[in-house]
PDB file of all heavy atoms in Angstrom:
ATOM      1  N   LYS I 101      18.798  23.522  28.665  1.00 97.00           N
ATOM      2  CA  LYS I 101      18.088  24.391  29.608  1.00 97.00           C
ATOM      3  C   LYS I 101      18.561  24.189  31.047  1.00 97.00           C
ATOM      4  O   LYS I 101      18.394  25.079  31.888  1.00 97.00           O
ATOM      5  CB  LYS I 101      16.578  24.103  29.552  1.00 97.00           C
ATOM      6  CG  LYS I 101      15.899  24.454  28.250  1.00 97.00           C
ATOM      7  CD  LYS I 101      14.426  24.040  28.294  1.00 97.00           C
ATOM      8  CE  LYS I 101      13.703  24.338  26.994  1.00 97.00           C
ATOM      9  NZ  LYS I 101      12.278  23.911  27.044  1.00 97.00           N
ATOM     10  N   PHE I 102      19.133  23.035  31.332  1.00 96.00           N
ATOM     11  CA  PHE I 102      19.478  22.672  32.710  1.00 96.00           C
ATOM     12  C   PHE I 102      20.791  23.338  33.097  1.00 96.00           C
ATOM     13  O   PHE I 102      21.848  23.041  32.534  1.00 96.00           O
ATOM     14  CB  PHE I 102      19.579  21.150  32.825  1.00 96.00           C
ATOM     15  CG  PHE I 102      19.420  20.636  34.230  1.00 96.00           C
ATOM     16  CD1 PHE I 102      18.170  20.584  34.823  1.00 96.00           C
ATOM     17  CD2 PHE I 102      20.516  20.211  34.955  1.00 96.00           C
ATOM     18  CE1 PHE I 102      18.027  20.102  36.116  1.00 96.00           C
ATOM     19  CE2 PHE I 102      20.376  19.738  36.247  1.00 96.00           C
ATOM     20  CZ  PHE I 102      19.124  19.684  36.832  1.00 96.00           C
ATOM     21  N   ALA I 103      20.731  24.227  34.057  1.00 95.00           N
ATOM     22  CA  ALA I 103      21.869  25.086  34.383  1.00 95.00           C
ATOM     23  C   ALA I 103      23.115  24.306  34.804  1.00 95.00           C
ATOM     24  O   ALA I 103      24.243  24.712  34.493  1.00 95.00           O
ATOM     25  CB  ALA I 103      21.472  26.061  35.490  1.00 95.00           C
ATOM     26  N   ALA I 104      22.953  23.192  35.505  1.00 96.00           N
ATOM     27  CA  ALA I 104      24.109  22.437  36.004  1.00 96.00           C
ATOM     28  C   ALA I 104      24.906  21.776  34.888  1.00 96.00           C
ATOM     29  O   ALA I 104      26.100  21.501  35.048  1.00 96.00           O
ATOM     30  CB  ALA I 104      23.644  21.379  37.005  1.00 96.00           C
ATOM     31  N   VAL I 105      24.273  21.535  33.756  1.00 98.00           N
ATOM     32  CA  VAL I 105      24.948  20.861  32.644  1.00 98.00           C
ATOM     33  C   VAL I 105      25.948  21.811  31.992  1.00 98.00           C
ATOM     34  O   VAL I 105      25.612  22.917  31.589  1.00 98.00           O
ATOM     35  CB  VAL I 105      23.931  20.359  31.600  1.00 98.00           C
ATOM     36  CG1 VAL I 105      24.651  19.796  30.378  1.00 98.00           C
ATOM     37  CG2 VAL I 105      23.019  19.299  32.207  1.00 98.00           C
ATOM     38  N   GLU I 106      27.187  21.336  31.883  1.00 98.00           N
ATOM     39  CA  GLU I 106      28.262  22.149  31.308  1.00 98.00           C
ATOM     40  C   GLU I 106      28.627  21.711  29.897  1.00 98.00           C
ATOM     41  O   GLU I 106      29.068  22.529  29.082  1.00 98.00           O
ATOM     42  CB  GLU I 106      29.501  22.062  32.201  1.00 98.00           C
ATOM     43  CG  GLU I 106      29.259  22.570  33.621  1.00 98.00           C
ATOM     44  CD  GLU I 106      30.403  22.260  34.554  1.00 98.00           C
ATOM     45  OE1 GLU I 106      31.350  21.547  34.118  1.00 98.00           O
ATOM     46  OE2 GLU I 106      30.364  22.692  35.719  1.00 98.00           O
ATOM     47  N   LEU I 107      28.468  20.428  29.600  1.00 98.00           N
ATOM     48  CA  LEU I 107      28.878  19.886  28.305  1.00 98.00           C
ATOM     49  C   LEU I 107      27.850  18.884  27.808  1.00 98.00           C
ATOM     50  O   LEU I 107      27.373  18.028  28.563  1.00 98.00           O
ATOM     51  CB  LEU I 107      30.247  19.217  28.424  1.00 98.00           C
ATOM     52  CG  LEU I 107      30.810  18.515  27.180  1.00 98.00           C
ATOM     53  CD1 LEU I 107      32.312  18.688  27.101  1.00 98.00           C
ATOM     54  CD2 LEU I 107      30.453  17.015  27.173  1.00 98.00           C
ATOM     55  N   ILE I 108      27.498  18.999  26.525  1.00 98.00           N
ATOM     56  CA  ILE I 108      26.567  18.066  25.891  1.00 98.00           C
ATOM     57  C   ILE I 108      27.207  17.559  24.609  1.00 98.00           C
ATOM     58  O   ILE I 108      27.470  18.332  23.688  1.00 98.00           O
ATOM     59  CB  ILE I 108      25.217  18.746  25.544  1.00 98.00           C
ATOM     60  CG1 ILE I 108      24.584  19.371  26.785  1.00 98.00           C
ATOM     61  CG2 ILE I 108      24.265  17.742  24.894  1.00 98.00           C
ATOM     62  CD1 ILE I 108      23.446  20.337  26.462  1.00 98.00           C
ATOM     63  N   ASP I 109      27.475  16.266  24.550  1.00 98.00           N
ATOM     64  CA  ASP I 109      27.932  15.641  23.312  1.00 98.00           C
ATOM     65  C   ASP I 109      26.731  14.955  22.668  1.00 98.00           C
ATOM     66  O   ASP I 109      26.039  14.152  23.319  1.00 98.00           O
ATOM     67  CB  ASP I 109      29.023  14.604  23.583  1.00 98.00           C
ATOM     68  CG  ASP I 109      30.385  15.237  23.807  1.00 98.00           C
ATOM     69  OD1 ASP I 109      30.647  16.303  23.222  1.00 98.00           O
ATOM     70  OD2 ASP I 109      31.188  14.665  24.571  1.00 98.00           O
ATOM     71  N   LEU I 110      26.444  15.279  21.416  1.00 98.00           N
ATOM     72  CA  LEU I 110      25.361  14.633  20.675  1.00 98.00           C
ATOM     73  C   LEU I 110      25.977  13.844  19.531  1.00 98.00           C
ATOM     74  O   LEU I 110      26.700  14.400  18.700  1.00 98.00           O
ATOM     75  CB  LEU I 110      24.367  15.668  20.144  1.00 98.00           C
ATOM     76  CG  LEU I 110      23.121  15.114  19.439  1.00 98.00           C
ATOM     77  CD1 LEU I 110      21.908  16.003  19.697  1.00 98.00           C
ATOM     78  CD2 LEU I 110      23.336  14.950  17.927  1.00 98.00           C
ATOM     79  N   VAL I 111      25.684  12.538  19.503  1.00 97.00           N
ATOM     80  CA  VAL I 111      26.241  11.650  18.488  1.00 97.00           C
ATOM     81  C   VAL I 111      25.115  11.119  17.619  1.00 97.00           C
ATOM     82  O   VAL I 111      24.239  10.376  18.098  1.00 97.00           O
ATOM     83  CB  VAL I 111      27.002  10.472  19.133  1.00 97.00           C
ATOM     84  CG1 VAL I 111      27.656   9.619  18.056  1.00 97.00           C
ATOM     85  CG2 VAL I 111      28.048  10.980  20.108  1.00 97.00           C
ATOM     86  N   GLU I 112      25.112  11.505  16.362  1.00 96.00           N
ATOM     87  CA  GLU I 112      24.085  11.097  15.402  1.00 96.00           C
ATOM     88  C   GLU I 112      24.774  10.484  14.183  1.00 96.00           C
ATOM     89  O   GLU I 112      25.687  11.087  13.614  1.00 96.00           O
ATOM     90  CB  GLU I 112      23.242  12.303  14.976  1.00 96.00           C
ATOM     91  CG  GLU I 112      22.361  12.108  13.768  1.00 96.00           C
ATOM     92  CD  GLU I 112      21.281  11.054  13.981  1.00 96.00           C
ATOM     93  OE1 GLU I 112      20.510  11.177  14.951  1.00 96.00           O
ATOM     94  OE2 GLU I 112      21.227  10.106  13.153  1.00 96.00           O
ATOM     95  N   ILE I 113      24.344   9.291  13.806  1.00 93.00           N
ATOM     96  CA  ILE I 113      25.012   8.594  12.712  1.00 93.00           C
ATOM     97  C   ILE I 113      24.639   9.138  11.343  1.00 93.00           C
ATOM     98  O   ILE I 113      25.416   9.071  10.397  1.00 93.00           O
ATOM     99  CB  ILE I 113      24.733   7.076  12.789  1.00 93.00           C
ATOM    100  CG1 ILE I 113      25.730   6.303  11.931  1.00 93.00           C
ATOM    101  CG2 ILE I 113      23.286   6.772  12.386  1.00 93.00           C
ATOM    102  CD1 ILE I 113      25.694   4.810  12.141  1.00 93.00           C
ATOM    103  N   ASP I 114      23.439   9.721  11.233  1.00 96.00           N
ATOM    104  CA  ASP I 114      22.941  10.187   9.939  1.00 96.00           C
ATOM    105  C   ASP I 114      22.970  11.714   9.879  1.00 96.00           C
ATOM    106  O   ASP I 114      22.093  12.400  10.411  1.00 96.00           O
ATOM    107  CB  ASP I 114      21.521   9.673   9.699  1.00 96.00           C
ATOM    108  CG  ASP I 114      21.080   9.815   8.248  1.00 96.00           C
ATOM    109  OD1 ASP I 114      21.680  10.632   7.520  1.00 96.00           O
ATOM    110  OD2 ASP I 114      20.134   9.111   7.840  1.00 96.00           O
ATOM    111  N   GLU I 115      23.985  12.249   9.224  1.00 97.00           N
ATOM    112  CA  GLU I 115      24.153  13.705   9.147  1.00 97.00           C
ATOM    113  C   GLU I 115      22.970  14.383   8.459  1.00 97.00           C
ATOM    114  O   GLU I 115      22.637  15.525   8.760  1.00 97.00           O
ATOM    115  CB  GLU I 115      25.442  14.034   8.402  1.00 97.00           C
ATOM    116  CG  GLU I 115      25.801  15.506   8.392  1.00 97.00           C
ATOM    117  CD  GLU I 115      27.167  15.767   7.798  1.00 97.00           C
ATOM    118  OE1 GLU I 115      27.675  14.884   7.074  1.00 97.00           O
ATOM    119  OE2 GLU I 115      27.749  16.840   8.069  1.00 97.00           O
ATOM    120  N   ARG I 116      22.312  13.677   7.558  1.00 98.00           N
ATOM    121  CA  ARG I 116      21.194  14.274   6.830  1.00 98.00           C
ATOM    122  C   ARG I 116      20.020  14.591   7.753  1.00 98.00           C
ATOM    123  O   ARG I 116      19.287  15.561   7.529  1.00 98.00           O
ATOM    124  CB  ARG I 116      20.738  13.346   5.699  1.00 98.00           C
ATOM    125  CG  ARG I 116      21.713  13.277   4.551  1.00 98.00           C
ATOM    126  CD  ARG I 116      21.896  14.637   3.896  1.00 98.00           C
ATOM    127  NE  ARG I 116      20.699  15.061   3.172  1.00 98.00           N
ATOM    128  CZ  ARG I 116      20.386  16.322   2.921  1.00 98.00           C
ATOM    129  NH1 ARG I 116      21.146  17.307   3.370  1.00 98.00           N
ATOM    130  NH2 ARG I 116      19.283  16.618   2.250  1.00 98.00           N
ATOM    131  N   VAL I 117      19.824  13.800   8.793  1.00 97.00           N
ATOM    132  CA  VAL I 117      18.762  14.100   9.754  1.00 97.00           C
ATOM    133  C   VAL I 117      19.036  15.447  10.419  1.00 97.00           C
ATOM    134  O   VAL I 117      18.130  16.266  10.592  1.00 97.00           O
ATOM    135  CB  VAL I 117      18.630  12.983  10.810  1.00 97.00           C
ATOM    136  CG1 VAL I 117      17.635  13.387  11.896  1.00 97.00           C
ATOM    137  CG2 VAL I 117      18.181  11.678  10.166  1.00 97.00           C
TER     138      VAL I 117
END
Side-chain angles (χ1 to χ4, degrees):
K101 294 176 181 179
F102 201 76
V105 174
E106 300 170 354
L107 176 144
I108 304 166
D109 281 329
L110 185 146
V111 184
E112 166 64 55
I113 197 169
D114 195 340
E115 186 173 19
R116 288 298 290 155
V117 173

